[in-house]
Amino acid sequence: MLTYAGKRLLQLIPVFFGSTFLIYFMVFALPGDPIRALFGERQPPEALLTQIREQFHLNDPFIIQYFHYIWGLLHGDLGTTYTGRPVSEVIMNAFPATLQLATLALLFEAVAGISIGLVAGLRKGKFFDASALVVSLLLISIPTFVTGYVLQYIFAVKLGWASPTVGANASWGDYVLPAIVLATASFAYIVRLTRSSVVETQAMDHVRTATAKGLPRRRVISVHVLRNSLIPVVTFLGVDLGSLMVGAIVTEGIFNINGIGGTVYRAVQLGDGPTIVSIVAVMVIIFIFANLLVDLLYAVLDPRIRYAN
């Protein structure tokens, strides 16, 4: 297992460099002067603009700029924003809120989605199964901003069960409603994915054999049906973790959460390349380790899977 994990980490090194190179190229190789755009209509003296460009290596060829960035990244330096603030400080201020939001959203979609999908799969063709499919289809169809405003109005404004906004130093409980909003679409996909996987697994030979041997239905479901059905679901959850963290722009805007999504949006508006590239690099690292964890969980869920040394 350790040998496999080491090989997977080595394989992910070119993925990291390739993805960071691509995003760096997309941000910095585009035409235009981000430093001049930073000042808007009130342009400073040309000497000051030249000095700032030299500070951020913007006068160097693109490949030299990228090597400067990677060298700093490998030494723990995420760079500096065009306003002179360390990018690491920007990320540290925004990351905790998004991490809390994404963690609760992931827990909600995993627990609720798998539970409902399991019951729907076991009751294929019955009322609960049909209702789960209809509700999940509706949740997939409705945009997140509609779901967010509706739930915010009902549960926060009208019923007062939650806070309509999430400010600084908020508790975990304040993130429950935004997390549900963020997780609605992924929750619906997990319900449908779990349901179809359970239906398919129930028709396999090893499940019919376990039932024919007289094993209790609870054990057949938990050991032979659920564990094997979770493999595609775990794959989806591993990919969805990064999507939740970066894709929370709408949810963070509705509930006034100062997180990673809003930070990336503002950086794009301002043309702040170092902030965009560094946040994406952090997200790439999270994706890499999330996918590695998913690969290692396969052997836990399905004992038939073994990793050769």
Side-chain angles (χ1 to χ4, degrees):
M1 180 69 76
L2 292 177
T3 303
Y4 172 80
K7 290 180 179 179
R8 289 286 286 115
L9 285 174
L10 290 176
Q11 293 171 1
L12 293 173
I13 291 176
V15 175
F16 172 76
F17 284 105
S19 57
T20 53
F21 179 84
L22 180 62
I23 188 62
Y24 199 92
F25 175 80
M26 294 172 64
V27 173
F28 286 98
L30 295 176
D33 188 346
I35 301 301
R36 190 177 294 277
L38 182 67
F39 289 94
E41 297 180 357
R42 302 182 60 181
Q43 293 293 310
E46 189 64 33
L48 178 59
L49 293 175
T50 302
Q51 179 182 350
I52 297 176
R53 293 191 196 100
E54 289 292 337
Q55 177 184 348
F56 290 97
H57 306 287
L58 296 180
N59 290 330
D60 297 333
F62 166 76
I63 193 66
I64 302 299
Q65 296 181 42
Y66 177 71
F67 281 135
H68 276 296
Y69 173 74
I70 286 296
W71 181 256
L73 189 63
L74 294 177
H75 288 78
D77 182 11
L78 296 178
T80 306
T81 67
Y82 288 150
T83 58
R85 188 181 179 191
V87 176
S88 57
E89 180 182 324
V90 174
I91 295 177
M92 288 303 296
N93 287 339
F95 191 77
T98 299
L99 181 61
Q100 287 180 283
L101 179 63
T103 300
L104 285 178
L106 195 70
L107 287 175
F108 168 75
E109 67 185 50
V111 175
I114 292 173
S115 300
I116 295 176
L118 174 63
V119 177
L122 296 175
R123 297 177 175 272
K124 178 186 176 183
K126 297 184 179 180
F127 177 76
F128 186 89
D129 179 33
S131 301
L133 290 176
V134 170
V135 172
S136 62
L137 182 60
L138 286 174
L139 291 177
I140 294 172
S141 305
I142 299 175
T144 302
F145 68 87
V146 175
T147 306
Y149 281 121
V150 169
L151 295 184
Q152 184 187 49
Y153 178 75
I154 294 175
F155 294 102
V157 177
K158 284 296 184 182
L159 299 178
W161 292 356
S163 174
T165 59
V166 180
N169 301 320
S171 64
W172 282 89
D174 295 327
Y175 287 95
V176 172
L177 184 59
I180 293 175
V181 172
L182 179 61
T184 48
S186 297
F187 160 77
Y189 283 116
I190 289 178
V191 169
R192 300 175 74 88
L193 185 61
T194 305
R195 183 256 181 199
S196 61
S197 185
V198 167
V199 171
E200 181 181 350
T201 304
Q202 285 187 101
M204 291 183 175
D205 292 338
H206 70 279
V207 175
R208 291 200 297 265
T209 301
T211 303
K213 289 170 61 178
L215 290 179
R217 179 169 172 78
R218 178 181 299 178
R219 181 169 178 79
V220 172
I221 293 173
S222 61
V223 176
H224 297 282
V225 175
L226 181 59
R227 284 181 61 178
N228 290 281
S229 301
L230 285 180
I231 291 179
V233 179
V234 169
T235 303
F236 180 87
L237 289 172
V239 175
D240 197 44
L241 175 61
S243 302
L244 289 174
M245 298 188 69
V246 180
I249 297 176
V250 175
T251 305
E252 291 179 356
I254 293 173
F255 292 93
N256 193 32
I257 300 174
N258 182 26
I260 291 293
T263 302
V264 172
Y265 179 71
R266 289 189 295 271
V268 171
Q269 283 184 313
L270 297 173
D272 195 342
T275 302
I276 300 172
V277 173
S278 293
I279 290 179
V280 172
V282 173
M283 293 300 106
V284 167
I285 294 173
I286 293 176
F287 264 113
I288 287 174
F289 283 99
N291 280 276
L292 176 61
L293 179 61
V294 166
D295 288 345
L296 297 179
L297 282 176
Y298 286 163
V300 177
L301 294 173
D302 191 346
R304 295 172 299 177
I305 298 176
R306 290 292 181 265
Y307 298 117
N309 292 331

